[in-house]
Amino acid sequence: MTILSAAISTKSGKPIISRQYMQLTRSRVEGLLNTFPKLIPLGSQHTTVEIENIRFVYQPLDELYLVLITNKGSNILQDIESLSLFSRITIDIIKQHTQESVINNAFDLLVAWDEIIAFGYRDNNNIHQIKSLLEMESHEEKIQDIIAKNKEMEAKEELKRRARALEMQRREAAKVGAQTGLSAGKYSSSSELNISPSFDAPSPSSASAAPTPPSTQTSSGFKGSGMKLGKKKTTIDQF
């Protein structure tokens, strides 16, 4: 048997999730799923419908369809058996048959489906083996989880260390700023006291040493050569 694709769609044929196991384009898968609901006869109890060289094997899930797309050359009994296994593992994972539940569990569904089909062909895993494979944790995964947690813890510690360093820098800056402001306040106060204007009264010695204004009288030491009246005797008196 060859399974081309597995999907969950709405009753109108809108795909919710789909897994391709052979070379199919997205538009091809969407076209097939859109066509599929129109092929189902009203009140039909069958679980298969066909078109051209394509066979749809499906199971209703309330308002959803679980669909396997195969070719007509595949064994229909094996297709139905594969559909039963798909249905059991799908219902076990999604719990509720809703579109939201399918979307929320899409990754787990695709991983589980890959344990059923490989390269279009059915594996020999049963439901119990598939559940064991899904629940099994490898040693490498545990190591990777431990490494990831250690890196996360180291990153948190580094952030805390940087936060403490920044806080210390802020405190130091605030302390230096406060000291600088206090020193500037003291300097400005002393400057205001020293720059007050002052006037020194002149001393008595400096007052007495002040020059006297020049006298307007003629100095006694000046001797003129002018005529002196009354002292000159004429020639007539001599005779």
Side-chain angles (χ1 to χ4, degrees):
M1 59 172 291
T2 302
I3 294 181
L4 305 178
S5 177
I8 296 178
S9 68
T10 63
K11 284 294 184 69
S12 62
K14 177 183 177 182
I16 301 174
I17 63 170
S18 176
R19 183 75 166 99
Q20 281 63 254
Y21 297 103
M22 303 296 289
Q23 292 295 330
L24 289 176
T25 62
R26 176 174 177 174
S27 59
R28 175 62 172 164
V29 173
E30 289 179 344
L32 291 173
L33 291 175
N34 289 332
T35 304
F36 155 70
K38 302 173 184 178
L39 302 176
I40 302 175
L42 293 176
S44 174
Q45 299 298 321
H46 298 286
T47 58
T48 63
V49 290
E50 298 179 357
I51 179 177
E52 298 178 357
N53 60 339
I54 297 296
R55 176 185 294 135
F56 299 95
V57 185
Y58 66 93
Q59 177 175 330
L61 300 175
D62 294 338
E63 298 300 319
L64 306 175
Y65 280 123
L66 173 62
V67 186
L68 300 182
I69 301 175
T70 70
N71 53 32
K72 284 186 177 181
S74 68
N75 188 314
I76 190 170
L77 295 179
Q78 291 181 352
D79 291 344
I80 294 175
E81 184 181 351
S82 297
L83 176 65
S84 177
L85 185 57
F86 267 90
S87 177
R88 292 175 64 186
I89 197 67
T90 298
I91 293 173
D92 187 69
I93 292 174
I94 65 175
K95 308 300 183 184
Q96 299 177 350
H97 303 167
T98 62
Q99 182 173 342
E100 181 180 3
S101 181
V102 172
I103 294 174
N104 291 338
N105 296 279
F107 180 79
D108 293 335
L109 283 174
L110 295 178
V111 172
W113 291 356
D114 286 347
E115 297 296 338
I116 302 173
I117 302 298
F119 303 103
Y121 296 94
R122 166 81 181 273
D123 279 344
N124 293 322
N125 296 326
N126 56 38
I127 185 67
H128 301 292
Q129 291 172 328
I130 293 173
K131 288 183 178 181
S132 298
L133 291 171
L134 295 176
E135 295 172 356
M136 184 177 61
E137 294 181 357
S138 66
H139 180 66
E140 290 78 8
E141 289 176 341
K142 290 182 178 179
I143 293 176
Q144 291 300 322
D145 289 341
I146 294 173
I147 293 174
K149 289 180 180 179
N150 289 337
K151 287 183 178 180
E152 184 178 357
M153 292 177 62
E154 290 176 359
K156 289 181 179 179
E157 290 297 326
E158 179 65 17
L159 289 176
K160 290 180 180 179
R161 187 189 65 78
R162 291 184 181 182
R164 288 194 296 266
L166 290 174
E167 182 64 23
M168 292 180 63
Q169 290 179 1
R170 283 195 294 266
R171 291 181 180 179
E172 289 295 329
K175 184 177 180 181
V176 172
Q179 292 177 352
T180 305
L182 182 60
S183 301
K186 290 181 178 180
Y187 176 77
S188 61
S189 299
S190 61
S191 300
E192 290 177 357
L193 292 175
N194 292 333
I195 63 174
S196 58
S198 62
F199 175 75
D200 295 333
S203 63
S205 59
S206 62
S208 61
T212 57
S215 175
T216 56
Q217 299 178 356
T218 306
S219 174
S220 58
F222 179 77
K223 296 180 179 182
S225 59
M227 296 177 61
K228 293 183 179 180
L229 297 178
K231 292 184 179 183
K232 186 180 179 181
K233 295 181 179 181
T234 61
T235 309
I236 299 174
D237 294 336
Q238 295 178 356
F239 291 100

